[in-house]
Amino acid sequence: DYQNRISPMKYFQNTDVSFLGKRARMNLNEVKNLMATIDEEATRKGKVPAPTMTLNQAAACFQAGVTGFKFSATTPTGKSRNIMRLKWSTLTKYNKQHEVKAEEGPAIDPEEKARQEFVEISPDDPPHDNMWYEHDDGVKRRVPSTYKFPMLGLEDMYVMWHCGQEEAKIAPMKIFQSTDFQGSPMVKRGKTNLSEVRTIMTLIDLAAAKKGMKIKPIMTESEARECCREGHTALNIPVSSKEGKSRDILKMKWSSASRLKNKGDDDGGDDGGDGDGDADDTAEAEAKKAGGESDAEEAEVEPEADPEDDTLADLELPEAEVDV
């Protein structure tokens, strides 16, 4: 601004505007980033910005560089936009959208990404833990980077816990480690979800074992469903809601089961059980302890290791037969 004796803003430093406050420094940085984008696009179009320019030269470079922004020539109300009169802050908004799209790159199909990351099965791996995915960081994990933590019904989750998903090439979840979820942006609360699922699955295993069911290291789907139907009552979930609606506990989401477990005695009345409430409390404490110990062990084990599921082996099951 020659008339007001102001140098070209491209020479400004943060210290020059610090007396105006934090927002002024942020504005300066945003303007510099915006102008750098315009200069880069203008250069590609053959309009190379000079160290010093006239108003006409600057306008020509701006018109060439602003074409790099993707925005409609009309407003949402149908009015035409005068690009030359747009506020710089409005252009900054479109500049950020452009930067995000450039960083994201082309969309990747999750299934294709999983196929690319899948590691060929090795004969040296145990049959129940031989499906691995190599992520972009070079670490092998039991799930692909695009994996989404399943929100299944209680019975279906129990099947996945013990049997995995053979068609999707996912190992039984009971051998998962918290490290298997590291580096997966699509998995939220992965470690917490795994810990919560481990707790309720261990409670079901303990109860099923007490009723004579065999909790095998490798189970078929029918065996898993039978164990779940025998042991799910240990969660002590009310069979009806507060509104009186009946609940199908085996089909309710595992997250709901985790939230509602041990709510059956909230009214303080007799639930028709065998009076062994202390034993139920002990079982849950043991289940949580097993989950906590598992997480502690996982922090020291490399993802390529062959962990054993010792959830039940460390627990005493009176008058029950458990194969581990």
Side-chain angles (χ1 to χ4, degrees):
D1 188 345
Y2 179 79
Q3 186 175 3
N4 293 318
R5 298 182 181 182
I6 301 296
S7 301
M9 189 174 283
K10 63 182 178 181
Y11 299 127
F12 282 18
Q13 302 294 328
N14 284 340
T15 53
D16 294 326
V17 295
S18 60
F19 70 96
L20 296 174
K22 181 178 179 181
R23 183 66 244 182
R25 296 193 296 270
M26 294 175 63
N27 287 345
L28 179 60
N29 290 329
E30 289 178 359
V31 169
K32 284 186 175 182
N33 291 334
L34 178 65
M35 298 308 155
T37 302
I38 294 176
D39 287 348
E40 182 180 353
E41 183 65 22
T43 301
R44 281 199 291 263
K45 298 289 181 61
K47 297 290 184 179
V48 182
T52 58
M53 294 190 291
T54 64
L55 289 177
N56 291 335
Q57 290 173 331
C61 288
F62 177 78
Q63 289 177 341
V66 79
T67 57
F69 297 96
K70 304 297 182 183
F71 53 84
S72 174
T74 59
T75 65
T77 58
K79 296 181 180 180
S80 60
R81 282 194 175 101
N82 187 341
I83 299 175
M84 300 298 290
R85 298 186 63 181
L86 282 177
K87 292 183 178 181
W88 68 264
S89 55
T90 303
L91 277 178
T92 299
K93 178 180 66 175
Y94 291 105
N95 187 37
K96 289 180 179 179
Q97 292 177 353
H98 176 73
E99 290 176 351
V100 169
K101 290 181 179 179
E103 292 176 358
E104 290 178 350
I108 300 177
D109 178 57
E111 293 184 1
E112 178 60 28
K113 181 67 172 177
R115 284 193 290 268
Q116 294 174 2
E117 294 178 344
F118 185 72
V119 179
E120 290 298 327
I121 296 176
S122 171
D124 298 330
D125 291 334
H128 65 288
D129 190 16
N130 58 1
M131 291 180 282
W132 296 89
Y133 295 84
E134 185 172 348
H135 291 210
D136 292 337
D137 58 4
V139 178
K140 294 179 181 179
R141 299 183 174 91
R142 293 180 177 84
V143 295
S145 60
T146 55
Y147 184 74
K148 293 183 179 180
F149 201 97
M151 300 303 293
L152 304 175
L154 181 62
E155 184 177 354
D156 290 336
M157 196 66 184
Y158 188 86
V159 172
M160 185 172 180
W161 181 258
H162 282 286
C163 305
Q165 294 174 298
E166 187 174 357
E167 292 184 0
K169 297 182 179 179
I170 300 295
M173 188 172 284
K174 64 183 177 182
I175 62 175
F176 280 16
Q177 301 178 16
S178 59
T179 52
D180 290 321
F181 298 110
Q182 293 177 355
S184 299
M186 299 184 72
V187 177
K188 297 180 179 179
R189 296 182 75 250
K191 182 178 179 180
T192 302
N193 286 343
L194 181 62
S195 178
E196 291 177 356
V197 169
R198 190 185 302 278
T199 297
I200 59 178
M201 297 303 155
T202 302
L203 287 171
I204 294 174
D205 285 347
L206 289 167
K210 287 181 179 180
K211 293 183 178 181
M213 305 300 298
K214 293 184 178 181
I215 310 301
K216 303 177 181 178
I218 302 177
M219 302 173 68
T220 64
E221 180 179 341
S222 60
E223 289 173 337
R225 292 190 183 279
E226 186 177 2
C227 287
C228 184
R229 290 164 186 166
E230 289 293 332
H232 79 277
T233 54
L235 300 180
N236 197 22
I237 297 174
V239 295
S240 60
S241 65
K242 293 181 179 180
E243 293 77 18
K245 296 181 180 179
S246 60
R247 288 191 175 107
D248 189 338
I249 298 175
L250 290 173
K251 291 185 178 180
M252 71 163 45
K253 296 289 182 63
W254 69 262
S255 55
S256 298
S258 178
R259 175 172 53 86
L260 293 172
K261 71 178 185 300
N262 292 331
K263 297 291 185 181
D265 295 331
D266 284 352
D267 58 359
D270 186 2
D271 63 349
D274 55 6
D276 195 14
D278 293 338
D280 291 340
D281 293 339
T282 302
E284 182 176 4
E286 290 175 342
K288 290 182 178 179
K289 180 181 178 182
E293 291 175 348
S294 178
D295 287 342
E297 293 172 358
E298 288 164 3
E300 302 176 358
V301 179
E302 292 296 329
E304 290 82 356
D306 178 21
E308 294 294 337
D309 185 23
D310 294 335
T311 303
L312 294 177
D314 295 337
L315 303 177
E316 296 183 1
L317 302 178
E319 302 178 6
E321 181 179 2
V322 180
D323 295 336
V324 178

